[in-house]
Amino acid sequence: MDHQPPPFFKRGPAPVALLSFYVALSAALLVLDARFQALEMLRQALSMFSLPLQSLAHMPIQALDGFGAYFVNVERLRDENARLKRARLDNVATLLRTQQLEVENERLRKLLGVKERQQASGHAAQILYAARDPFSRRIVIDKGQQDKVVAGQPVIDDAGIVGQVTRVFPFVSEITLITDKEQAVPVQIVRTGQRSVVFGLGNGQLDLRFLPANADVQNGDLLVTSGLDGVFLPGFPVAKVVHIERDTAYSFARIYCLPLAAVENFSEVMVLDPRPPVALPEQLTSEASGRDGRSPGKSAGKKRRLRKD
C-alpha cells in the first residue's frame, strides 16, 4: 500500500539547503560587484524604478514641513527681514572694499605674470535625504546624470566644503560628506600657512593629521582647502580647530576640528564643476615620457653603436 503524501503536500528542498544556496549566491554577487562592478547597470535601472517610490514615501514629511513653514509667525518673518536688511547695509562698505581688492589683486597678478585664479562655477541642488547606512556619512541630492553630474565633483554650501560626489544615478547623486571615515581633504591653516590633510572621523568631526606635536596650531584656527588634490579649488573654508592633544610620546599631535559647512543638516548645496586638468611643463612631460619608454639618450646611443657595428 502506497503511503506517500499526495503531490499537493509534497515538500521542496530543505530550508538549510535553500539558506546555503542564497548565502552563496549573495556572496558571489558581492564579490562580482566589488571587483568587476558587474551590477552597476542593474543598480542604475533599479534607481530609476525606486525613485518614484522614494519620492512618494517622503511626501508626508514634506507636506508636514510645508504646512509648518506656511503657518510660521508673520511677525517673526518681518523682524528677520528687517534684521537682514540692516545687516546688508552694515556690510555694504566691507563688500565694496572686497570687490575693489579683488580687482586690484587681479591687476597685480597680471603685472607680476602670476596665473589667474580659477573661477568656481556650478549649479544648485536640493538635498533629498541622508543615506540609511549608519556607518557612513552620505546624502542624496536631486541632480544626476541628466544634469551632467559626474563622480568626483566637489560640493559646497554657503559656509564651506560639504563633500564630494561619489556615485551618480540617472536622476539623483550620492555625496560623501567630509566627515565620513573614507574622506580626506588637503587643507591649509590660514594663520600660519601650514599644509596638512583632514580626515573624517565618522561622528561629525574631523581629524587634522601629520602635524608635529610642537606645531603652531591653536584652538579657533581656520582651515581652508589648499587645492593640492586637484579636486577642490584653493581657499574654500573647511573646518575650525576645537581641541588639541599634545603628547611628547608621539610624533604627531591629535587635532580635532569641526566642519564649517552644515554637513549634518538638510539644506541646499552647490555642485561645482570639475577642475580642468593641469597642463604639465614641457620638460616634465618629456621626462615622464622618457620614464615610460626608453630615454632618448640611451636609444640614440644604441643606434650609434648599431651603425658602427
Side-chain angles (χ1 to χ4, degrees), residues 9-21:
F9 298 100
K10 189 174 181 180
R11 298 181 60 184
V16 177
L18 285 175
L19 178 62
S20 303
F21 171 74

Side-chain angles (χ1 to χ4, degrees), residues 12-57:
V16 177
L18 285 175
L19 178 62
S20 303
F21 171 74
Y22 288 126
V23 169
L25 180 62
S26 302
L29 292 176
L30 286 174
V31 172
L32 288 175
D33 187 42
R35 286 182 171 272
F36 308 105
Q37 301 293 328
L39 301 179
E40 186 64 29
M41 296 299 297
L42 178 61
R43 190 181 294 109
Q44 300 278 350
L46 289 177
S47 68
M48 296 181 62
F49 289 104
S50 62
L51 182 61
L53 298 178
Q54 293 175 357
S55 301
L56 184 63

Side-chain angles (χ1 to χ4, degrees), residues 181-245:
K181 291 183 178 181
E182 298 182 356
Q183 196 73 0
V185 181
V187 295
Q188 184 176 14
I189 303 177
V190 175
R191 184 176 59 85
T192 61
Q194 297 182 83
R195 291 186 175 88
S196 185
V197 182
V198 290
F199 292 82
L201 295 177
N203 58 358
Q205 291 186 338
L206 301 170
D207 184 16
L208 181 63
R209 302 180 186 176
F210 311 125
L211 285 179
N214 58 352
D216 184 12
V217 184
Q218 301 176 4
N219 289 331
D221 279 348
L222 178 64
L223 308 179
V224 298
T225 53
S226 62
L228 297 181
D229 57 351
V231 177
F232 297 98
L233 290 171
F236 281 110
V238 178
K240 181 176 63 174
V241 178
V242 294
H243 181 65
I244 304 174
E245 295 181 1

Side-chain angles (χ1 to χ4, degrees), residues 59-73:
M59 283 183 63
I61 299 177
Q62 293 176 354
L64 291 176
D65 293 341
F67 280 117
Y70 180 78
F71 291 106
V72 168
N73 193 324

Side-chain angles (χ1 to χ4, degrees), residues 87-200:
R88 184 177 63 85
L89 292 176
D90 293 338
N91 295 328
V92 163
T94 304
L95 179 61
L96 292 177
R97 279 188 60 85
T98 302
Q99 293 176 349
Q100 189 270 338
L101 290 175
E102 285 287 340
V103 174
E104 184 178 356
N105 188 20
E106 293 297 330
R107 183 176 61 83
L108 292 176
R109 281 177 170 270
K110 292 179 180 179
L111 290 176
L112 297 174
V114 181
K115 184 179 179 181
E116 296 183 3
R117 291 183 177 179
Q118 298 177 356
Q119 299 295 327
S121 59
H123 44 273
Q126 179 73 33
I127 297 178
L128 299 177
Y129 54 88
R132 298 296 182 260
D133 187 358
F135 301 102
S136 64
R137 291 292 185 267
R138 300 182 182 183
I139 56 177
V140 178
I141 61 174
D142 62 347
K143 302 294 182 182
Q145 294 174 349
Q146 300 293 329
D147 304 284
K148 298 181 180 179
V149 177
V150 297
Q153 288 185 240
V155 181
I156 65 172
D157 66 358
D158 56 348
I161 296 294
V162 172
Q164 187 177 1
V165 178
T166 52
R167 184 177 292 177
V168 183
F169 299 101
F171 301 104
V172 297
S173 298
E174 190 177 77
I175 298 172
T176 301
L177 305 178
I178 59 175
T179 53
D180 188 84
K181 291 183 178 181
E182 298 182 356
Q183 196 73 0
V185 181
V187 295
Q188 184 176 14
I189 303 177
V190 175
R191 184 176 59 85
T192 61
Q194 297 182 83
R195 291 186 175 88
S196 185
V197 182
V198 290
F199 292 82

